[in-house]
Amino acid sequence: MSVLHGDPVSSASVFRDISAEDEEQQPAEIESLCMNCYQNGVTRLLLTKVPFFREIIVSSFTCDSCGWTNTEIQSAGRIQEQGVRYSLNVQSKRDVNREVVKTDYATTRIPEIDFEIPACTQKGALTTIEGILERTIVGLQQEQPLRKAENAEVANKIDEFIARLQSLKDGETPFTFILDDPSGNSFVENPFAPQKDEHLTVTHYRRSKEEDSLIGIESLNGQNPEEKTEINAEDLRDEVLQFPTNCPECNAPAATNMKLVQIPHFKEVIIMATNCDACGHRTNEVKSGGAIESLGTKITLHITDPSDLTRDVLKSETCSINIPELEFELGMGALGGKFTTLEGLLKDIRDLVVDKNPFTLGDSCTSERMEKLKEFGKKIDQILEGQMIVHFILDDPAGNSYLQNVYAPEEDPEMTVEKYERTFEQNEELGLNDMKTDGYEESEKNSES
């Protein structure tokens, strides 16, 4: 019970890093009923942390009477700020073998065959696309003998559908695999990392009220919108606000500090930092203090000197990063919002792609993939040491990212800033297409009268 109340010692020791050499990391065994033969079996629970992912609970059930086994995972971490949607154009057997992290709230779709697994109908799993299709096939085949006896026509149609699923599983037929998770905790592997995968599209989006309700989030933490207290930005400018929260690593009680900061020649931003006294975890995040700009911003810096790495960088959560010389692109949502230096941002990219990537470990990692990631890490080090000249591009459709101009207020000869009109898809990702502000003030006056 102490874990539920956020006891620092208990929560840090219960969720341990996954390791085959940790003798103390033993699963808890619980006697439970087998739903196949209704005899008693054993459920094993392991609370662990997956690198580059988050805390999970792995459960495995085994029945000695009938041999039935079942394995599931559940996320023990926090729900992400945005939902995520993966769309993969599956072309070969290699694509079918991609690893997938699928939570309870994720919806799986294959439009070509009108196939959908709704949210909350299956437990979470760490599997592959082939594993998801195989699980579906096995589920459809279970009741086929009974269907054939009661309704042969329905059974024949299901046999035809099973044959189509088998064709997709064997990689014989191209199809589109869509994984949509409003909790933001699902994942589809990119085997070409750190390069961009041309067949995989990752979209982060704002949840609707229905999706918030599905995952158990109530708007405004249960407060009445009419009871919200207005906060004056002038009152927050010189004050550091502090509010209680839980550590994202060990779930122990911690404090988050928040401060409003004015960036010269740019705008106001909100910096939030969390320090955990229990496990020592430290995190910081930056949010824009203003509205979404009317135009998107693309900033290109030609890094020609090691002194360029000391420039301040504000990367918002809607900003993507591109380094053409490395054929590298980091989509929006990755790394979150950051206020750091260019050197610090490059080190964060190296840690994210190379050092903390769980798909470089275990049987699923190939030597070819390891070599690509090591080569990418070496190139990042060459940039940090001033041995490689590259272009560093920040592309923010919300216009809330910033790269320091050391020549300000004069123009920087090595940096270009472009303003551009957002596309419909970019407005959709920012949630602007559904915002209706025309006649808002007039309608408010009518409602007040």
Side-chain angles (χ1 to χ4, degrees), residues 51-54 187 190 193-194 204 315 319 321 328-336 338 344-360 373 376-377 380:
F52 192 59
F53 191 46
R54 44 191 62 92
F187 181 80
N190 173 11
H204 295 270
K315 176 199 172 297
C319 179
I321 299 174
F328 171 77
E329 182 174 343
L330 187 71
M332 66 168 64
L335 290 179
K338 283 187 174 291
L345 189 56
L346 287 170
K347 288 182 178 179
D348 288 338
I349 292 174
R350 182 188 59 193
D351 292 342
L352 178 73
V353 176
V354 182
D355 299 336
K356 298 180 181 179
N357 191 339
F359 296 104
T360 61
L373 292 174
F376 177 79
I380 292 290

Side-chain angles (χ1 to χ4, degrees), residues 51-84:
F52 192 59
F53 191 46
R54 44 191 62 92
E55 295 170 344
I56 62 171
I57 302 173
V58 182
S59 63
S60 175
F61 175 80
T62 304
C63 179
D64 294 333
S65 300
C66 66
W68 175 260
T69 60
N70 185 31
T71 303
E72 299 173 358
I73 71 163
Q74 289 182 329
S75 174
R78 64 186 181 93
I79 295 173
Q80 304 304 303
E81 293 185 3
Q82 292 183 317
V84 65

Side-chain angles (χ1 to χ4, degrees), residues 233-249:
E234 294 296 329
D235 299 335
L236 300 179
R237 193 178 304 279
D238 299 321
E239 183 179 358
V240 177
L241 300 180
Q242 189 176 83
F243 54 90
T245 183
N246 282 37
C247 173
E249 283 293 320

Side-chain angles (χ1 to χ4, degrees), residues 6 27 44 80 95 122 127 133 147 159 161 172 177 182 184 194 222 233 289 309 326 329 399:
R44 294 175 175 84
Q80 304 304 303
D95 290 332
Q122 290 184 353
T127 179
L133 294 174
R147 293 193 191 99
D159 280 336
F161 188 75
E172 299 173 355
F177 178 83
L309 301 177
L326 304 187
E329 182 174 343

